[in-house]
Structure formats: C-alpha cells, structure tokens
Amino acid sequence: MASPEEIQRDEIFKSDNIPSWMAYTGYAVLSIISSISIPLMFRQIKWYYVIVAYLLAPVLGFSNSYGAGLTDINMAYNYGKIALFIFAAWAGKKNGVIAGLVGGTLVKQLVLMSAELMHDLKTSYLTSTSPRSMLVAQAIGTGMGCIVSPLTFMLFYKAFDVGNPDSYWKAPYALIYRSMAILGVEGFLALPKHCLSISAGIFAFAMLLSIARDILPRRYGKYVPLPMAMAVPFLVGGSFAIDMCIGSFVVFVWEKMNKKEAAIQVPAVASGLICGDGIWVFPSSLLALAKINPPICMKFTPAS
C-alpha cells in the first residue's frame, strides 16, 4: 500500500500535467526553425538532413530514455556516433565531414535531452514539484544557455589555444569525432596502415579484461585494470594520469588511516577541488586575454 507521502506526490505530479499537444507543437515548431536556420549556418547541411534528424531522434530518444531509466547510463553519444556515420556517408566526400558532425551532434543532443528530461521529471516527482514549474525553469535555463554558452566558447577560443595537441586545451574529442566523420565519408581506406588490426586487437584485449573483472573473485578482480580508465591518458595525455595517481594515492592513504572519516569527507574534498579548478578557469582566461603570464613556469622535457 502506498504511503501518504507517495499519494501526495502522485496527486501533485498528475494534477499539473503538460498537454500532449504542447509537446507535439513545440517539437514541430523547433524542427521547422532548425531546418531553416541550421542550413544557413552550415551550407553543407541540407534542410532535409535536419528533418531526417528530427524524425530519427524520437525513436532513438525513447530507447535511450528507457535504458537510462534502468541503468542510469545515458547512451546518447553512441546514438550520435551512429547518426554521424549515416550523415557523413549520405552527404558524400565534398560535404560529408561537416554534415556528419552537425547531423550527428543534432541527433545526439535531441536524444541526450530526452533522457535528461526524464531525470528532471523524476526529480520533480521526488521533490513534489509541479512538472510545469520544472518545464518553465528548464525553458529559462535554456534561454540563458543560448547566451552564456556562445560567450563562454568565444572566451575560451580567444584566450586559449584550443585544439592544439601540444597545449593544455587539447580538445581530444574534436579530433576523434572529425576522424569518425572522415571514416564515414572515405571508409576504412582512410585509416592509417594496420590501424584496423590494432583496433581489433585492443578491442579484444579490453573485452578480456572486462570479462576477467566480472568472473574472477573480488579479491583478485579488483586488481584487473579498467579498460575505460586506461583509455583516458591516451586521449588527454599523461598529465591527467599523474593527477589521477596522486588523488588515488591520497584517498588510499586516507582510507587506511580512517576509513569511516574518508567515506564521509572524500566526496566533499573532491567537490571542492572540482569547483575550485572550474571557477579558476574564468579569471585564468581573463589573464590570458590580457597577455599576463605567470611569473614562474615549471616544465619537464626529455634529456638531450
């Protein structure tokens, strides 16, 4: 039998529903706006590419939302990669790279937001918040994002050497997605020599590691490395691995000294580090725009 609190949540959540016609109309209007505006911004994109993306997204979004609800894992990026290959191959060699990147990103964002919206509606239910109030708040946040996001991007683009493989802001995913778009246009012939063989071998190796972690007893399985964690330094460089190693070592020592205290305090310390590093990006970008360099710089180079 449901508790009084659950009954109250159900009443609040159901009493203020969002009409279906509003959702359908909004989606149709946005698809029309996108099919007009996106081809104007990217000449490689045809208006019917956008229509196909908007027709494809609800089907993928439903399955992604269902999977995210069961596993709490959002697979929108994988759906976006599939769409990237489709649009890149469809547009051909001349326009395929840009068309694949834009079309895949469009599908990815539509699918991503469907799962995020489901999570937000779940949060509104648990907090006894009106779904309409939540939707209005999302609309306000989206409007703010349309202004803040481009300004933030331009700030980064002007202040830092974004995309340079030798700089701090490597943007590794930009290279990965561009390579996938080229692969979608030119096929496997665009890959370097032995690339496919190496990828297949590493894929099999990663599968074996994952299987070993699951089937081995816990006391042995915990020493098998995670393929996903091993892949991170290959994308962002060795400096990230050093940071992870230092953090892991501190947590390991802390747990050995006082496991109960570490379980409570580690998330707070991690949140502080993440927040502090993130907030510092803004003054750092302003200093970079003003051409102000740090007085001391430490760099490690190989011995000559």
Side-chain angles (χ1 to χ4, degrees), residues 207-254:
M207 287 288 292
L208 289 175
L209 287 180
S210 300
I211 294 171
R213 283 184 62 89
D214 290 337
I215 64 175
L216 288 175
R218 182 173 177 79
R219 63 179 182 273
Y220 300 120
K222 65 181 181 180
Y223 294 109
V224 178
L226 280 170
M228 188 72 70
M230 293 171 63
V232 172
F234 287 90
L235 296 176
V236 299
S239 60
F240 185 82
I242 296 173
D243 301 337
M244 291 286 290
C245 182
I246 294 173
S248 300
F249 179 73
V250 171
V251 173
F252 176 77
V253 173
W254 198 349

Side-chain angles (χ1 to χ4, degrees), residues 1 7 27 33 55 74 121 137 148 163 206 219 222 233 276 285 293:
M1 184 176 179
I7 295 174
Y27 194 80
I33 294 174
L55 292 175
N74 198 333
L121 288 171
V148 174
R219 63 179 182 273
K222 65 181 181 180
S285 60
N293 297 317

Side-chain angles (χ1 to χ4, degrees), residues 68-297:
L70 294 176
T71 64
D72 203 29
I73 299 175
N74 198 333
M75 301 294 289
Y77 288 91
N78 292 331
Y79 291 113
K81 291 171 187 174
I82 296 173
L84 185 151
F85 285 120
I86 294 173
F87 285 109
W90 187 7
K93 284 190 175 182
K94 186 177 180 181
N95 301 321
V97 174
I98 301 298
L101 290 172
V102 176
T105 302
L106 181 60
V107 172
K108 184 260 293 181
Q109 285 302 122
L110 291 170
V111 174
L112 178 73
M113 291 313 299
S114 64
E116 293 297 326
L117 181 61
M118 183 200 67
H119 283 302
D120 292 339
L121 288 171
K122 182 178 179 180
T123 302
S124 70
Y125 171 78
L126 294 174
T127 57
S128 299
T129 304
S130 165
R132 289 191 181 184
S133 300
M134 187 275 300
L135 190 64
V136 170
Q138 278 208 333
I140 295 172
T142 302
M144 294 174 61
C146 292
I147 300 173
V148 174
S149 295
L151 294 177
T152 305
F153 173 79
M154 291 306 300
L155 180 63
F156 269 80
Y157 193 74
K158 295 290 185 181
F160 303 110
D161 191 11
V162 179
N164 186 348
D166 296 325
S167 69
Y168 182 77
W169 305 97
K170 298 179 178 64
Y173 276 99
L175 180 61
I176 292 173
Y177 276 84
R178 182 178 180 275
S179 299
M180 287 193 296
I182 294 174
L183 183 62
V185 172
E186 300 184 9
F188 292 123
L189 295 177
L191 295 173
K193 190 177 181 180
H194 304 305
C195 180
L196 196 60
S197 302
I198 294 173
S199 297
I202 297 298
F203 173 80
F205 176 68
M207 287 288 292
L208 289 175
L209 287 180
S210 300
I211 294 171
R213 283 184 62 89
D214 290 337
I215 64 175
L216 288 175
R218 182 173 177 79
R219 63 179 182 273
Y220 300 120
K222 65 181 181 180
Y223 294 109
V224 178
L226 280 170
M228 188 72 70
M230 293 171 63
V232 172
F234 287 90
L235 296 176
V236 299
S239 60
F240 185 82
I242 296 173
D243 301 337
M244 291 286 290
C245 182
I246 294 173
S248 300
F249 179 73
V250 171
V251 173
F252 176 77
V253 173
W254 198 349
E255 288 180 345
K256 290 297 182 182
M257 295 175 61
N258 193 330
K259 189 172 184 179
K260 186 176 180 180
E261 181 186 86
I264 299 173
Q265 299 294 342
V266 162
V269 174
S271 300
L273 290 171
I274 294 171
C275 185
D277 189 39
I279 292 176
W280 169 246
V281 170
F282 181 69
S284 175
S285 60
L286 295 180
L287 292 174
L289 285 173
K291 306 299 181 183
I292 299 176
N293 297 317
I296 299 176
C297 181

